[in-house]
Amino acid sequence: MPLEKYIDHTNLKPTATTTDIEALCKEAIEYNFYAVCVNGCHVSSAKKVLRGTHIKIAAVVGFPLGAMSFKAKVQEAVDCIENGADEIDMVINIGWLKSKDYDAVREEIEAIKKAIGDHVLKVIIETCFLSNEEKEIACRLAVEAKADYVKTSTGFGTGGATLQDVALMKRVVGDNAKIKASGGIKTREEALKYIELGVSRIGTSSGPSLIQ
């Protein structure tokens, strides 16, 4: 599969304007990326530009802290889907995970997956804040909750994707979930290394330079 088909072309900046999102979508069309990844308020704008194309829209939920209420996250996911999102990238409740309230973490993921039905759910575990043991637990919870993907990072924490984290995640999820590497992937060489490790999607704001 060509590299462009792994890329979620991303702009999650708080300063992103409607014009910026339109430009992101036009680049996705030009480079034939798999998807764009945007904040929820930009889903309808992205939908207008991408209508009639094969390019998917991924919307982030509970972003970037993961700390809003259970009900708010579920409703946010539903709202994004109703506005035209094809996929949801949700941030887990990191505080609950660190409190060892694993049932609550799992139930939140399950509730969002149930609410969005057949739409793809990616679970951002924000590896930079977790011990290796916590990363493993987070991946297991995502699989138990029937998530489609586990994802490394928001890109807004203290660190992004690492090859070591992706190897750990792959070991835990096996073929039970796909993996999205996100945060700090700036070069084609880096992207290809992640793909070799088994990543199915790469979240990056540097998509055009990766292809060029």
Side-chain angles (χ1 to χ4, degrees):
M1 190 162 69
L3 178 57
E4 58 266 26
K5 288 304 179 185
Y6 287 88
I7 291 176
D8 287 1
H9 193 33
T10 303
N11 187 339
L12 298 169
K13 294 175 182 174
T15 54
T17 64
T18 303
T19 303
D20 294 332
I21 298 305
E22 288 171 355
L24 182 85
C25 294
K26 287 174 182 175
E27 284 180 338
I29 294 168
E30 178 184 352
Y31 290 95
N32 202 25
F33 292 140
Y34 187 87
V36 297
C37 187
V38 298
N39 280 297
C41 64
H42 295 303
V43 168
S44 23
S45 298
K47 189 72 176 175
K48 287 175 188 171
V49 181
L50 295 174
R51 185 170 283 116
T53 75
H54 66 275
I55 296 162
K56 306 292 185 188
I57 299 170
V60 292
V61 163
F63 196 87
L65 302 178
M68 52 291 299
S69 76
F70 185 117
K71 286 183 181 178
K73 267 192 196 170
V74 174
Q75 187 52 49
E76 186 182 10
V78 170
D79 184 61
C80 288
I81 296 296
E82 288 176 348
N83 285 329
D86 304 289
E87 305 181 348
I88 297 296
D89 289 31
M90 67 163 284
V91 187
I92 64 164
N93 191 307
I94 300 160
W96 285 352
L97 182 75
K98 287 190 164 291
S99 300
K100 297 184 168 55
D101 195 350
Y102 303 138
D103 288 343
V105 176
R106 184 194 304 105
E107 286 164 10
E108 184 177 77
I109 300 168
E110 282 176 341
I112 292 173
K113 180 58 184 170
K114 183 178 180 182
I116 68 171
D118 293 334
H119 296 276
V120 168
L121 177 63
K122 308 189 201 93
V123 175
I124 306 170
I125 66 172
E126 198 68 300
T127 50
C128 63
F129 294 136
L130 306 181
S131 67
N132 283 344
E133 181 185 9
E134 288 167 337
K135 293 167 196 172
E136 291 176 5
I137 292 167
C139 288
R140 284 200 298 271
L141 293 171
V143 168
E144 289 169 9
K146 310 297 186 192
D148 302 284
Y149 279 78
V150 287
K151 176 177 169 183
T152 59
S153 318
T154 62
F156 287 75
T158 55
T162 70
L163 295 170
Q164 293 81 0
D165 282 341
V166 166
L168 178 152
M169 294 164 75
K170 183 64 178 174
R171 189 175 72 248
V172 175
V173 304
D175 296 325
N176 296 309
K178 296 178 181 179
I179 298 172
K180 177 175 172 179
S182 186
I185 301 170
K186 302 289 187 189
T187 69
R188 183 183 183 89
E189 291 70 28
E190 282 180 298
L192 293 174
K193 285 178 184 176
Y194 281 104
I195 291 167
E196 285 171 18
L197 277 178
V199 159
S200 298
R201 209 81 69 80
I202 291 170
T204 180
S205 57
S206 305
S209 62
L210 263 65
I211 300 304
Q212 291 166 349

